[in-house]
Amino acid sequence: MSRRASLTLLALALPLLLRAAQPQFWKIEGARDFLDGVTEGVSVDSEGRVRLSPASSVVHDPESPYVWCLTRDKKGALYVGTGNDGKVFKVESGKASLFFDAEELEVHALAVSPDGRLYVGTSPDGKVYAVDANGAATPFYDPSDKYIWALAFDHAGNLLVATGADGKIYRVDKKGEATVLFTGPDTHIISLATDDKGNVYAGSSPGGIIYRIDAASKAFVLLDSPYREVKGLAVGPDGVVYAAVIDGKDEGPRPAPTLPTPPPSPAGGVFAEVTVTESFSAASPSAAGPSSPMRTGDLARSGATKGAVLRLLPAGEVETLWTSAEDIPHSILRTDEGILVGTGNKGKVYRIRDERTWSMVASFPSDQVTALFPGAAGAVFLATSNPGKIYSLEGRPGTHGSFTSKVKDTETVSGWGRLRWEATIPTGAEIQVETRTGNTGAPDATWTDWSRPYTHKDGDPVTSERARFLQVRAVLTGKDGVTPVLDSISAAYLQRNLRPQVASVLVHPSGEVFQKPIGVGGEMEILGLDASEAPEPRPGAIQRPAGTSITSYSRKLYQKGIQTFSWRAEDPNGDTLVYDVYYRAARDERFRLLRKGLTDAVLAWDTSTVPNGRYVVKVVARDTPANPEALALAGEKESTPFDVDNTPPVVTAALLPGKPEKVRATVKDDSNIIRRAEYSVDGGRWREVHPTDGINDALEESYEIALTDLSGPGPHIVVVRATDLLGNVATARVEVP
């Protein structure tokens, strides 16, 4: 359980008239939030705690883009293998010198023999050189393989050479005589490790297989992993094997990218620094070589697992200690405090423990951490690439570090409240937090300068200028090995109030209403209608016009005299809205209040309260629930005109003089055109009749009904029914002798 307590978020310290009623809070908390920012001189653990990272210093700058490998001799001299120039530097007593310059472009492997000679493995056209203490080099072993990926010495003092593209391990004695120790099905053996029992461990690519080769040269597959490359191996005295693996396998054919060709040095011998970055491609390496830092522009991100650290127990169990979809392991080193893993593409070093906790120990201004090697007194030497440098990582915390957050987009120009943070600050340590703001998505010259430091973790008002974007920087200071621990940072802000918008107002067909979900009492209620106005409902089937939508409401009913409106509104700030609805006659300019303070975006209006005629409604959306009255804003929209007509038409009917088999009917309406006329004989089915002019399109229509189907003795009763455009119905009765 995290030892952080929940922050109590207090009211903002801005004047009342300068703030909305609903502040929002940006909280930086947890490992993901801190790792998303920029860390310099600080570490982040799996519990989301930020502390000063181990002190580090630059040991050597070889002025090369890549540093591939490191090793030390018994006297403490450090050897550095580089590319694109195939050089080996020697760092001794704080001074660096060129020790060996190979003909090949890359030095991927170094090893010091028990007698103190340095062995150098180069690529391409792989060779192994032996270099004495004076830097005199002689070719030691020249296999047919193109790449020399790893070197190690076995318990008998023989040199082990891991190669590609034939995927072999050679055992070379002191005289340079070689025998093939192992040939695998993969094209590359890229990592080696040994133990005190004479076992050799090897990792392959592109199959991602981990082998154990015993003292009798018997090979055994420890793990056929779900990854493509085993970048590094480390073996503990208890026989536990740790593996840094990359590039999760997927289904389907495997593309075969080639190892990038390093660019040549420019004329004049001056080296041109080349910035490269790690390939995120899920493709497997080909015969040309396993994955390696690639040029910027070859980057291809996906959501797949990019790297992991596995723990292989002697009994055969395999545990996954750590995975990442962003960081790719390049190097691994076992220490007493856990496994150190150097990663790309942000130049980080992680410490991973058997109980699956981890810490991002340090980050460096390079893209990859490509090699790790133990130093004295708990220190670790590490090599970076893009650019290539050598660092020393000490066992004690540094004295200064910082965390810079990602940019927070508040979506509008915002005012700032208080900044708070939660931390443990021992005596001699300090945390200061700063802010800056701007109105561009990335900080530039238009942003404010960093504010003065806020020193009260319980809350200081943010002094940076009102803006849309906010960034936070925490500066940690320690002394004599004491480090503060930062758990979280929170900032309160208030968005500038933006006007609500009513996007549309929909006028539903007259009489169409929507039933609320049945409550506990089982009574039917009409959505949007005051209970005091609700008449007795008359269910009916009405075809909803195309384009209307009240999808969250219950079933549709018909209720004479009710006009339903629904609307769609939104608030850019996400504020809660209330609605006022006004109406006016179409020829009038003055709106009158119909309803105030509605919380649902629907209104059912009993139009019997107004005269027949043509009307318009206006919906006003207000954000007053979330803002003081003085700062609240409103948006509005008018509906299309609609008709109100609650008066049925007048129907008159009579027999034509001298023609008892014909009925003449006249229908008049004072507001709407006649939509339909029908007649029924002796209670039979209704039959539609058309007007004498052929079309129902006027306020008054005449009809002649020929009674050709009378049967049986009279008298007969003929009923004429007329319906206007809004569904008002009237009838008339004629008796036929």
Side-chain angles (χ1 to χ4, degrees):
M1 180 179 178
S2 172
R3 62 192 185 85
R4 295 187 297 272
S6 298
L7 285 178
T8 303
L9 300 175
L10 304 178
L12 299 178
L14 295 174
L16 179 62
L17 292 180
L18 294 180
R19 65 183 180 95
Q22 299 297 326
Q24 300 187 51
F25 299 91
W26 176 36
K27 192 167 188 179
I28 305 168
E29 183 179 40
R32 182 71 274 158
D33 285 354
F34 286 112
L35 290 177
D36 280 345
V38 177
T39 57
E40 296 181 8
V42 296
S43 68
V44 180
D45 65 21
S46 52
E47 296 297 315
R49 294 172 294 216
V50 180
R51 49 171 57 86
L52 290 170
S53 61
S56 63
S57 59
V58 177
V59 175
H60 175 52
D61 182 358
E63 297 183 349
S64 298
Y66 311 120
V67 177
W68 295 122
C69 50
L70 298 172
T71 193
R72 295 179 75 204
D73 62 19
K74 293 181 179 180
K75 297 180 181 180
L78 183 68
Y79 298 93
V80 180
T82 69
N84 295 331
D85 47 9
K87 295 179 180 180
V88 177
F89 294 88
K90 182 178 181 178
V91 183
E92 189 174 24
S93 301
K95 296 182 179 180
S97 60
L98 179 62
F99 189 65
F100 170 64
D101 190 353
E103 295 180 359
E104 293 77 31
L105 294 175
E106 310 289 335
V107 175
H108 279 128
L110 296 172
V112 176
S113 67
D115 62 7
R117 285 202 300 176
L118 177 69
Y119 290 82
V120 181
T122 65
S123 300
D125 302 323
K127 292 181 181 179
V128 178
Y129 297 88
V131 188
D132 65 18
N134 297 319
T138 57
F140 179 71
Y141 177 58
D142 186 2
S144 61
D145 304 75
K146 192 173 184 179
Y147 298 94
I148 307 295
W149 292 120
L151 299 175
F153 284 94
D154 65 12
H155 66 297
N158 297 309
L159 181 65
L160 303 173
V161 182
T163 70
D166 292 336
K168 294 180 179 180
I169 301 175
Y170 297 91
R171 179 187 284 137
V172 188
D173 64 18
K174 297 178 181 179
K175 298 179 180 180
E177 298 294 329
T179 58
V180 177
L181 175 63
F182 172 75
T183 301
D186 280 346
T187 51
H188 299 272
I189 302 296
I190 60 174
S191 54
L192 286 175
T194 61
D195 65 14
D196 296 336
K197 298 179 181 179
N199 294 311
V200 177
Y201 301 88
S204 75
S205 169
I209 302 173
I210 300 173
Y211 300 94
R212 183 190 64 216
I213 306 164
D214 63 19
S217 301
K218 171 64 176 176
F220 179 76
V221 173
L222 292 180
L223 177 66
D224 185 355
S225 80
Y227 296 87
R228 296 198 188 284
E229 295 186 23
V230 182
K231 293 290 285 186
L233 294 169
V235 183
D238 53 0
V240 176
V241 179
Y242 298 89
V245 292
I246 71 169
D247 199 1
K249 296 175 184 175
D250 56 8
E251 299 298 328
R254 300 179 181 181
T258 58
L259 193 69
T261 301
S265 298
V270 180
F271 190 86
E273 181 173 298
V274 180
T275 300
V276 305
T277 186
E278 183 71 23
S279 170
F280 280 81
S281 172
S284 67
S286 71
S291 68
S292 176
M294 308 277 287
R295 302 290 185 272
T296 301
D298 293 335
L299 194 68
R301 287 187 178 274
S302 72
T305 298
K306 298 302 181 185
V309 173
L310 309 179
R311 180 174 181 245
L312 287 68
L313 301 178
E317 295 90 348
V318 179
E319 299 176 348
T320 301
L321 300 184
W322 175 87
T323 62
S324 177
E326 298 178 356
D327 297 303
I328 302 176
H330 288 278
S331 51
I332 188 170
L333 176 67
R334 189 186 62 83
T335 70
D336 293 338
E337 297 181 355
I339 298 298
L340 288 182
V341 178
T343 69
N345 272 336
K346 294 183 179 180
K348 297 176 182 178
V349 176
Y350 287 87
R351 176 175 285 116
I352 301 164
R353 300 176 180 82
D354 289 350
E355 63 271 20
R356 295 185 177 86
T357 60
W358 53 266
S359 300
M360 193 283 291
V361 176
S363 59
F364 297 89
S366 298
D367 287 348
Q368 296 91 16
V369 177
T370 43
L372 297 164
F373 202 86
V380 173
F381 292 103
L382 60 92
T384 67
S385 292
N386 299 315
K389 289 186 180 181
I390 310 301
Y391 294 86
S392 173
L393 197 63
E394 307 298 330
R396 57 180 175 80
T399 59
H400 184 82
S402 67
F403 159 76
T404 304
S405 73
K406 65 180 181 181
V407 172
K408 172 62 178 177
D409 182 2
T410 67
E411 299 180 352
T412 70
V413 173
S414 297
W416 314 114
R418 289 185 179 272
L419 185 77
R420 297 178 176 81
W421 62 93
E422 187 176 353
T424 301
I425 306 177
T427 303
E430 184 182 28
I431 294 180
Q432 294 183 343
V433 183
E434 304 163 338
T435 59
R436 64 178 176 179
T437 58
N439 286 310
T440 59
D444 57 20
T446 66
W447 276 50
T448 66
D449 295 331
W450 287 105
S451 68
R452 62 167 180 77
Y454 308 106
T455 57
H456 300 95
K457 67 176 185 177
D458 293 330
D460 273 340
V462 173
T463 58
S464 296
E465 189 173 346
R466 290 168 59 92
R468 173 174 173 173
F469 298 96
L470 171 68
Q471 193 173 37
V472 175
R473 180 171 69 184
V475 179
L476 284 68
T477 304
K479 184 179 181 182
D480 299 329
V482 173
T483 175
V485 179
L486 175 66
D487 290 296
S488 65
I489 304 172
S490 72
Y493 65 93
L494 288 163
Q495 295 176 319
R496 177 172 62 89
N497 194 25
L498 299 178
R499 190 174 303 279
Q501 298 175 355
V502 182
S504 61
V505 178
L506 179 62
V507 180
H508 292 267
S510 178
E512 183 176 278
V513 297
F514 299 89
Q515 180 183 339
K516 287 184 179 180
I518 301 298
V520 177
E523 297 181 358
M524 195 280 290
E525 296 183 71
I526 294 175
L527 190 66
L529 185 68
D530 287 347
S532 60
E533 298 179 348
E536 291 296 324
R538 294 190 300 166
I542 293 184
Q543 185 67 32
R544 181 180 301 174
T548 64
S549 174
I550 308 184
T551 57
S552 62
Y553 304 154
S554 187
R555 67 190 180 105
K556 182 169 56 179
L557 308 173
Y558 176 78
Q559 189 67 58
K560 179 176 169 52
I562 302 297
Q563 180 63 63
T564 300
F565 311 96
S566 63
W567 53 90
R568 183 168 58 87
E570 58 186 18
D571 187 90
N573 303 106
D575 292 341
T576 300
L577 299 177
V578 294
Y579 308 102
D580 302 333
V581 180
Y582 297 82
Y583 78 96
R584 66 174 174 84
R587 296 182 179 181
D588 196 354
E589 295 184 357
R590 175 190 173 189
F591 276 100
R592 293 174 171 79
L593 180 64
L594 184 60
R595 294 287 185 277
K596 186 178 180 63
L598 298 175
T599 56
D600 291 325
V602 60
L603 171 65
W605 178 25
D606 180 5
T607 57
S608 63
T609 58
V610 294
N612 294 348
R614 196 161 178 79
Y615 289 86
V616 174
V617 298
K618 178 175 68 176
V619 177
V620 178
R622 297 182 286 110
D623 59 6
T624 48
N627 294 276
E629 191 69 33
L631 297 180
L633 297 174
E636 63 184 43
K637 190 174 184 63
E638 295 183 14
S639 72
T640 57
F642 60 94
D643 292 311
V644 170
D645 181 7
N646 293 310
T647 304
V650 176
V651 182
T652 59
L655 293 173
L656 283 174
K659 295 183 179 180
E661 73 284 359
K662 275 193 174 184
V663 174
R664 172 174 287 174
T666 301
V667 182
K668 294 181 180 180
D669 194 282
D670 60 359
S671 300
N672 278 284
I673 64 175
I674 309 305
R675 185 179 69 179
R676 185 184 183 90
E678 304 161 290
Y679 74 95
S680 171
V681 179
D682 293 336
R685 65 181 181 87
W686 290 106
R687 303 177 185 182
E688 187 172 0
V689 61
H690 298 287
T692 55
D693 62 2
I695 182 172
N696 289 309
D697 62 352
L699 298 179
E700 180 177 346
E701 295 286 357
S702 297
Y703 303 87
E704 289 188 1
I705 304 170
L707 304 176
T708 59
D709 53 352
L710 296 177
S711 61
H716 300 280
I717 304 300
V718 177
V719 176
V720 179
R721 181 174 70 179
T723 307
D724 67 13
L725 191 62
L726 294 187
N728 298 301
V729 178
T731 61
R733 179 178 180 274
V734 177
E735 183 175 317
V736 181

